[in-house]
Amino acid sequence: MFIYKLKYILIFFILSILPIKIVIADGEFTTQKPSLGKIVSIKEINAVDFVVMPDGDGLPIGSGSVESGKELFTMHCQACHGLDGVNGINGDLSGGHGTINGPVPKKTVGSYWPYATILFDYIRRAMPYQSPGILSNDEIYALSAYILYINNIIDEKEVITQKTIVDVEMPNSQNFIWAYPKKD
Amino acid sequence: MKKKKFNFTFSADNGLVDRRCFLKSGFGVGAGMMVAGANASEGKYRDDWMRKPGSGMGESGPSIHESHIKRSNVASQPGTLGSGASRTPLQFLDGIITPSRLHFERHHSGIPDINPQSHRLFIHGLVDRSLSFSMNDLQRYQHVSRIQFLECSGNSGAMIAPNAPQRDVSQIHGLVSCSEWGGIPLNILLDEAGIKPEGKWIVASGADAAVMSRSVPLEKIMDDAIIATHQNGEPIRPSNGYPMRLFLPGWEGNACVKWLKTIKVTSGPSMTKDETSKYSDLRDDGIAELFTFPMGVKSIITSPSPGLDLLERGIYQISGIAWSGSGKIKQVELSADGGKTWAKAELDSHVLSKSLTRFRSAWKWNGTQSSLMSRAIDDQGNIQPNREHWLKGRAINTFYHYNAIQSWSVNSKGKINNVYL
């Protein structure tokens, strides 16, 4: 008896909400998003995250000297960028200092770049051109040190680390402005 | 056959024909009649290809008679194959859509061969949840499609040279193309990850060997950026970012990172090599402007143009493309007398925001030296500048975002040259 009654109550209940349900379903059709993104662990993210910020965020712990950088440069970079980073088949990595506001600006790491952190970021992403990814973090710091050295930005004895690379004062760093966001 | 005579009315000096002439007069002279000759059957003429069934169905490319229409000036950095550009042959195209095989290229370390089964898009950084999406996941989201242009900010850079470069439209201006881009609005995916209040920019990185990267303000990303998976109806081609690229309507091509793999939400820009060392705009006072994203209002007459010389005097179609990174093209003006008088061009019916717009006019060439120019105005009130105005305030070898008025000079023999006016 009780079960019999319950059945009716249930049917009545379902009937009473049916039209409303359709309306809800209709709404879901247009506004519901599939939400299929899978949660990724920090470890997995670290493996795909190459981003280095000018304040040093994203830089791994490590260090490298000008001296070891010179050796690495000869081995991995000189063939394209030339002896001491000039006159190679690809772009010069030093020179042009003081030309940026002159009649013929020559842009290089030393004459133009606003932050030294870009060196680590870019070499880690893309260089050496034919086999990116082969360098260790210490080697990338060493190459950054060497490229800063050939631009007379640091001296021969200096060691570049995840901390010191942030503090390097690039000669042209004060000469950049942001066109975005637009000031009316 | 006697040629009909028309009395033209002109909308500007040196032969720009008022379009109403055509509407009224039903313009056109009958094509020379084919004479029924030896291959005639019962007095009817058949061309060779009308006398047996054509070839079968299936895959097909363009006509073999159009094999000269291909990407031009494929050039890479010395010692590399994929660090350079190839250009769209704009002078041979009509309408606004660039066939995908002719879309310009600009790569920094070649075209990767990405397996879509294993490729993932990661969204991380200043978000509540770091997420990854497979291609299968992404196909379940509601897509959008829009016809929009993509232009490399280095396009037309050759025009800063002190003497007008004697090259064709493709070689000078071929780093712009227009496609129907299909994909997923990026704001949907970022909302799913949940942006933290400190999140103001994103850094997008590709899955190419250079892990190509650019920083983009979150404002743009949430406004109209998409993850493009389709181009002109088919999956995006490897040379345009297969299986997906960032697409930022109206903004410089370099920021529309191809082979997109990671999007990191950050508090500010990362100052990547390509947004500092390259793609920054140096002024003549030594100050460099970073993040000059939108492409300016611009137009080019694609025909007549260098290489498409005029063979005889008479009526020609002037045809070209106009676009703006800020909105729709409102008006294109044409001059046939080097900018002394101007007349409005006709716009084809598709006038879309941040898209190429095709413009046309009829022009009666009287066989004398003439200078053709086009000037575009967008719906935000931006007017295409002349070259002198564009150069003002810029450092000598700064070439990004060149959008000045292009002039073609037609000499009395009908030969067309690039000129600075």
Side-chain angles (χ1 to χ4, degrees), chain B residues 371-387:
Chain B
S371 299
L372 300 175
M373 302 162 91
S374 65
R375 176 170 67 192
I377 300 168
D378 72 16
D379 65 357
Q380 304 299 303
N382 300 304
I383 304 174
Q384 187 176 9
N386 63 30
R387 184 170 175 275

Side-chain angles (χ1 to χ4, degrees), chain B residues 123-142:
Chain B
I123 296 180
H124 64 110
L126 296 172
V127 291
D128 298 330
R129 295 161 289 277
S130 295
L131 298 176
S132 82
F133 299 86
S134 69
M135 289 307 292
N136 283 340
D137 293 337
L138 291 174
Q139 291 310 326
R140 283 174 57 187
Y141 286 75
Q142 185 114 357

